Amino acid sequence: MTTQRLPRTAAVSAAAALALALTGCSRTPPDDRDGAAGAEPASALSHVHGLALHEGTLYVATHEGIHSPGPGGAPVLVGDRRDDFMGFTVAPDGTFLASGHPAPGSGGPSDLGLIASADSGRTWTEQSLGGEVDFHALDTAPGGPVYGYDSTHGRLRVTRDRKAWEDRAELRALDIAVSPTAPDTVLATTESGVARSTDGGRTFTPGGGQLLAYVSWGAADALYGVSPDGVLFRSGDGGAAWTRIGTVPGGRPQALTAVDGRRLLVATQEGVYESGDAGRSFVRRMEVTSGSGGH
């Protein structure tokens, strides 16, 4: 297996796109909408920050709350919170974990810290760091801690009980991914490439190699990454080498989740797409309307 390299002009463009995404943390108020929460389809979404497939249902964390697809792929709000969910993941025990900012006018601190839902996003409770931290990326693995990229302070943080946090390495990252079989192994996407830690995020090797915006580990031998310009890659050796699969549909990527070794979810400027064949083909599951990608 050989490492794929982008042409220099494409690499420069991709690096610029990633640098722009790293600076973003939009707090523009979402549009007002009528109708009962969770019952009526919402208008097209503007930004997607996270994706999950839980008990057969697709969940999409967005600038305007968490949604699932309704008739024709129209987004339907889950619960009644329209918060800006910047970080989002589903823990191995099925608990939804999220972070971000409250919806305008809803009260509370400007940063949500870590919040959790035991009923698939219908209701949420604060766990820790409310008013202190906005996690732009969250991930965990069976038997391991929860990792959060604290964009407020530019560092990785770790918790085992979702209450007390340990500070780990300082870095400037867009996304993180935790190995499903080695919870001390963490990858972070940076402007210079994918940085790697094998000591639980205490230290990272400098980013290098393939430039990626988002990474997600579906299986020990199935690590996926998508570049800022939408090229999808797969690695079978934990990111040492990458194989180009193709280009994801719908423009610049906004989020990526590998459900397992072959099933992928990707959000781009035009929609949320699902692949059941390791990224060779995609079907659109939800519509998205946006002018730029990612966080």
Side-chain angles (χ1 to χ4, degrees):
M1 184 182 295
T2 58
T3 300
Q4 300 290 316
R5 300 183 184 276
L6 294 173
R8 177 172 174 76
T9 54
V12 170
S13 176
L18 182 55
L20 180 63
L22 280 164
T23 65
C25 181
S26 175
R27 302 191 189 196
T28 304
D31 296 334
D32 292 332
R33 299 185 180 92
D34 298 322
E40 295 294 330
S43 61
L45 305 173
S46 61
H47 290 282
V48 173
H49 301 306
L51 302 163
L53 192 67
H54 179 61
E55 296 180 344
T57 299
L58 172 64
Y59 293 90
V60 181
T62 79
H63 188 61
E64 300 96 350
I66 291 183
H67 295 73
S68 286
V76 176
L77 185 68
V78 176
D80 61 1
R81 291 182 65 155
R82 300 181 185 276
D83 299 332
D84 183 4
F85 288 98
M86 298 296 296
F88 174 66
T89 192
V90 178
D93 66 1
T95 302
F96 283 24
L97 302 174
S99 188
H101 315 291
S106 62
S110 60
D111 293 325
L112 293 176
L114 182 70
I115 60 175
S117 173
D119 56 7
S120 300
R122 294 172 183 84
T123 62
W124 295 85
T125 58
E126 181 180 319
Q127 300 295 292
S128 52
L129 300 179
E132 300 178 40
V133 170
D134 165 25
F135 289 111
H136 274 205
L138 293 163
D139 201 10
T140 186
V146 175
Y147 291 87
Y149 177 66
D150 175 358
S151 66
T152 309
H153 304 96
R155 69 164 61 248
L156 192 71
R157 305 183 78 167
V158 176
T159 181
R160 286 196 172 271
D161 61 5
R162 303 173 188 168
K163 302 292 185 181
W165 292 82
E166 296 179 26
D167 291 346
R168 299 288 168 91
E170 294 184 3
L171 73 165
R172 190 165 182 254
L174 181 62
D175 195 21
I176 60 173
V178 181
S179 168
T181 57
D184 282 340
T185 297
V186 188
L187 304 181
T189 59
T190 75
E191 292 173 271
S192 58
V194 180
R196 181 184 185 91
S197 172
T198 57
D199 58 5
R202 293 174 179 84
T203 61
F204 280 84
T205 60
Q210 186 61 53
L211 185 69
L212 300 171
Y214 304 102
V215 284
S216 185
W217 233 309
D221 61 349
L223 171 64
Y224 291 90
V226 62
S227 69
D229 51 358
V231 179
L232 182 67
F233 295 88
R234 173 172 173 158
S235 175
D237 57 8
W242 296 89
T243 298
R244 186 184 192 278
I245 297 173
T247 301
V248 299
R252 285 185 178 175
Q254 298 183 346
L256 173 71
T257 293
V259 179
D260 54 36
R262 295 183 57 81
R263 198 168 187 180
L264 301 177
L265 303 170
V266 62
T268 63
Q269 290 172 278
E270 297 178 4
V272 176
Y273 299 84
E274 181 176 350
S275 173
D277 57 6
R280 292 173 178 81
S281 64
F282 284 89
V283 174
R284 192 166 82 161
R285 295 288 309 279
M286 184 182 289
E287 57 185 303
V288 173
T289 300
S290 62
S292 61
H295 295 61

